Amino acid sequence: MKCRMKFKAASAKIKSRIIFLVIALLLLSLTAIGFSNSVLYRIALGQAGEMLGYASKSHALFLEYSIRHQKEEAGRTGVPFDIKDALSLYRQQLESGIVFGETGESVIARREGDMIRFFVNNRQKNSSSPIIIPFDSGETAIPMRLALSGKSGTVIAQDYRDIKVLAAYEPLPSMNNLAIVTKMDLVEIREPFIKGAWRLFLFIFIVIVGGVLIYLKAITPMIPLLMESEERLMTLINGIDESLLFLDTAGKVLLVNEVAAKRMNRSSSDLIGRDIFSLFLPGIAATRRRKFGEAVETGMAVHFEDERNGRHYHNSFFPVMGDRRGNVVSIIVHARDMTGHVKSQNEIMAAKERAEEATRLKDKFIMLVSHDLKTPLIGMLGILQLLQKRTENTEEAMLCINMAVQANKRMIRMIDQLLDINRIRAGKLQLKCRYCNGAEIVKEAVATVEGMAAQKGITIRNMVSEKTMVIADPVFLQQVFCNLLTNAVKFSGQGTTVAIKVSSGEEMVFSVEDNGVGIPPDKMKSIFSYHDRTSTRGTEGEAGTGFGLPLSADIMEALNGKLKAESRPEGGTSFSVVLPNPTPKILVMESGPGSCDALNDLMKKRGFTVTASTHALKILEMLRAERFDFLLVQLSATKETGAELLRLVANDHSLKGMSLLAIGDNACYAKIGDNNQSSGDIINCGPESAMVIERIYSALMEDGSAQKG
């Protein structure tokens, strides 16, 4: 209802302003038309006067010429001269078409005593009764009287008819006191301007009034829509449980919702038009005015927080661009009461700190307990192993001792796994990833499990090819393989086979496959979880800790790899250890452009990333700016660039640990060690030899200097 009343008042105000605007426009148009017509009329009057003046002078010259000619003719023929003949000739010229508009006249008259006799008038066809008027006749025939007085010029005055005209007059003193006047009625000159002015005014009046009527007709149906839109807007604004204000660029309130008015203990109507900053304490007002000015000047939203009356607020100033130049025309102020949120955040932070403290205490407890448990267990294991060697070989005694040894080993392994899990979960596990020989890692893992497999008559087939390069921490990768092989042996029957093999595509995949009992489908999702204990006894009752697979999955994640499992319905399980494909970065120093193209292509086919150059200093700059895994230098018998690069690398302390190989005649393989230089076997081969690839493989996997993580 309040909005409707506001709109009705606003509508009435708009209509009154429109009426005032129409009247003002009409008056302004009338004034402009009058002024322009006055200027144009004066211009037209001047042009007409010039035309009449020219006509009167030319007519006077014509008469003088005619009279002179006739006098000469009369002298030759002896016929007496009569001025009437000259005037008759002039009248004929006037009747032939020399006119000045509809009211233009050319009049010739002569003074005869106190009278003026008009001889010629192109408007008066009958010349038998000429017009005669007194010379002193007041305002009548002023132009002719001036001409008969010997004057010439242009004047606006009354003619012999007592009608106001524009006239040009010229005396003819050499022709018996004759004078000539050419004139036009002023009405003829003025009438087009008066008619044009009224027509223009009428046109403007129709345009303005018609436009206003069309405008009113167009906006009248929109008023209810605007009222409804305003009501919806105010309902929306007042429905927001946060302060919302619209300010102009001076900080005065244009619109405010009820929440903001209530927080300032005022009504909405009381706030409209007021300077919002005058309602705050000086300190708060200064801060907010500064932020407000920043939003107006930059045209960017400004966010800040402050506290007043014991409550915490998050404030935002959003500029509104309103013109084509991108200037700010108003500011939307949004203030959110963050007191409850801040309190919740503080409580969450306090709870987080308590949880972190509890985690630290738990980790410390695990470390202490594990250490205190592991120390006596290792002592017990040593005693049992001693008894195992010295006790009389009675079946019952040996069985008890073996059981005790196995139980002790399981407890030590469980404690070690608990410590590894704790380090991984705490982010304290330091992995030393590098290029290493995956085949050697698998071989050592197989050797660790072979004794357990031999007791069950299980064969472990190692199908991993030699010099299989991987990027990993060899110690922890071996632990993963040991866990997977142990599981495979544990759940495989007597006389079966466990196989481990590798395949390389987009990723490096090691597979551990067995033909054992498999994993039930309902347990496949939880085998890598610490929360669901999945340990079950093996085919011959072997016990496990239940931590091996979850720990292996965590290690693989730390190695940027994955651990996957697949169980076949007919029996058997396959675990896949997925690692990123190694892509060593090789920097090649060529003795000449394209001299190592064949070798570079071969290295790229093997998955290497190759960068080549022939400039020693450029190679050195690249080594200092970017990490490369290997430097390959081609020596030349005619150029010293290769040998010079080797010397520069050897003397650069920042390049310690760089693996490099030199090829060519009397070439050498060298590594920069603690003494800045060391050399290996000499290799004598061309740049196309596959031997270079094998030496790079060996260097990367054996040196262990290319740290990758």
Side-chain angles (χ1 to χ4, degrees), residues 166-400:
L166 173 65
Y169 51 91
E170 191 73 27
L172 300 171
S174 61
M175 292 178 286
N176 299 323
N177 293 323
L178 289 176
I180 184 169
V181 173
T182 54
K183 61 187 178 67
M184 289 180 65
D185 291 356
L186 279 180
V187 173
E188 183 179 356
I189 300 174
R190 188 187 304 122
E191 186 177 10
F193 293 96
I194 295 174
K195 289 181 179 179
W198 279 110
R199 288 171 182 171
L200 181 59
F201 177 76
L202 182 61
F203 174 76
I204 293 174
F205 176 80
I206 292 172
V207 170
I208 293 176
V209 174
V212 169
L213 291 176
I214 293 172
Y215 173 75
L216 291 175
K217 187 175 181 180
I219 67 168
T220 300
M222 296 174 62
I223 292 178
L225 299 176
L226 291 173
M227 292 167 58
E228 184 179 354
S229 176
E230 175 73 7
E231 289 180 351
R232 289 180 178 176
L233 176 62
M234 292 307 301
T235 301
L236 176 63
I237 292 175
N238 290 325
I240 299 174
D241 192 23
E242 296 166 359
S243 297
L244 195 64
L245 301 94
F246 292 79
L247 309 179
D248 63 13
T249 53
K252 292 184 178 180
V253 180
L254 302 175
L255 186 66
V256 58
N257 69 346
E258 294 177 355
V259 174
K262 185 177 179 181
R263 286 179 178 174
M264 288 183 277
N265 297 320
R266 299 178 186 274
S267 64
S268 300
S269 58
D270 182 41
L271 290 173
I272 301 297
R274 295 195 61 175
D275 183 358
I276 190 65
F277 302 110
S278 65
L279 305 176
F280 298 105
L281 294 175
I284 297 176
T287 301
R288 294 198 168 197
R289 192 180 291 277
R290 186 174 66 256
K291 298 292 185 182
F292 178 84
E294 183 181 339
V296 172
E297 290 177 5
T298 63
M300 300 179 64
V302 176
H303 308 279
F304 64 97
E305 296 183 0
D306 63 9
E307 187 175 347
R308 64 180 188 273
N309 300 327
R311 304 196 70 81
H312 193 89
Y313 292 94
H314 180 274
N315 307 287
S316 299
F317 290 155
F318 299 100
V320 178
M321 308 297 180
D323 59 17
R324 295 180 180 178
R325 297 181 180 179
N327 295 324
V328 177
V329 296
S330 61
I331 297 290
I332 299 176
V333 181
H334 175 255
R336 177 181 295 175
D337 189 347
M338 301 290 291
T339 306
H341 177 73
V342 171
K343 183 179 179 181
S344 299
Q345 287 292 321
N346 292 336
E347 292 175 352
I348 291 171
M349 290 300 296
K352 181 175 178 290
E353 290 177 359
R354 291 195 297 270
E356 289 176 348
E357 180 63 22
T359 300
R360 285 193 293 271
L361 292 174
K362 182 259 299 178
D363 293 342
K364 187 175 181 180
F365 173 76
I366 291 176
M367 293 288 291
L368 292 173
V369 170
S370 299
H371 180 271
D372 292 343
L373 283 175
K374 190 173 181 180
T375 300
L377 285 172
I378 292 175
M380 291 172 59
L381 179 60
I383 295 171
L384 288 171
Q385 289 175 337
L386 184 60
L387 288 173
Q388 199 175 30
K389 294 177 181 179
R390 296 186 179 181
T391 303
E392 295 180 1
N393 193 12
T394 62
E395 184 177 351
E396 184 177 359
M398 289 303 297
L399 179 61
C400 292

Side-chain angles (χ1 to χ4, degrees), residues 468-605:
T468 299
M469 184 186 293
V470 295
I471 303 175
D473 184 311
V475 175
F476 284 95
L477 183 60
Q478 182 181 336
Q479 184 175 349
V480 171
F481 286 134
C482 284
N483 289 339
L484 297 180
L485 289 170
T486 300
N487 267 9
V489 171
K490 175 181 173 182
F491 294 105
S492 296
Q494 289 281 346
T496 57
T497 300
V498 173
I500 180 168
K501 56 187 177 181
V502 66
S503 62
S504 180
E506 294 182 359
E507 296 174 308
M508 183 77 68
V509 181
F510 291 86
S511 300
V512 178
E513 301 176 354
D514 64 61
N515 297 308
V517 296
I519 302 174
D522 59 330
K523 292 186 178 181
M524 281 294 294
K525 294 182 179 180
S526 59
I527 59 174
F528 299 129
S529 173
Y530 292 106
H531 305 291
D532 300 322
R533 189 173 176 86
T534 57
S535 177
T536 56
R537 292 190 174 274
T539 55
E540 295 188 2
E542 301 99 320
T545 64
F547 296 138
L549 289 178
L551 176 60
S552 299
D554 279 349
I555 292 174
M556 289 307 302
E557 184 177 353
L559 293 173
N560 295 322
K562 292 174 284 188
L563 181 60
K564 300 179 180 179
E566 182 181 355
S567 186
R568 297 181 290 274
E570 65 275 10
T573 305
S574 174
F575 281 91
S576 298
V577 175
V578 183
L579 288 167
N581 252 329
T583 55
K585 295 177 64 176
I586 311 297
L587 185 58
V588 180
M589 168 70 186
E590 297 176 319
S591 61
S595 61
C596 287
D597 283 352
L599 177 60
N600 293 342
D601 292 340
L602 184 59
M603 287 191 290
K604 290 177 182 178
K605 290 179 181 179

Side-chain angles (χ1 to χ4, degrees), residues 94-132:
L94 292 178
E95 291 176 355
S96 66
I98 304 176
V99 294
F100 314 102
E102 295 181 358
T103 62
E105 286 184 309
S106 180
V107 180
I108 298 176
R110 183 175 64 187
R111 182 174 181 177
E112 297 178 351
D114 294 333
M115 304 300 289
I116 301 175
R117 180 184 296 272
F118 290 88
F119 289 100
V120 178
N121 187 338
N122 64 307
R123 298 292 181 187
Q124 186 179 3
K125 303 297 183 180
N126 186 8
S127 61
S128 61
S129 56
I131 300 172
I132 301 175

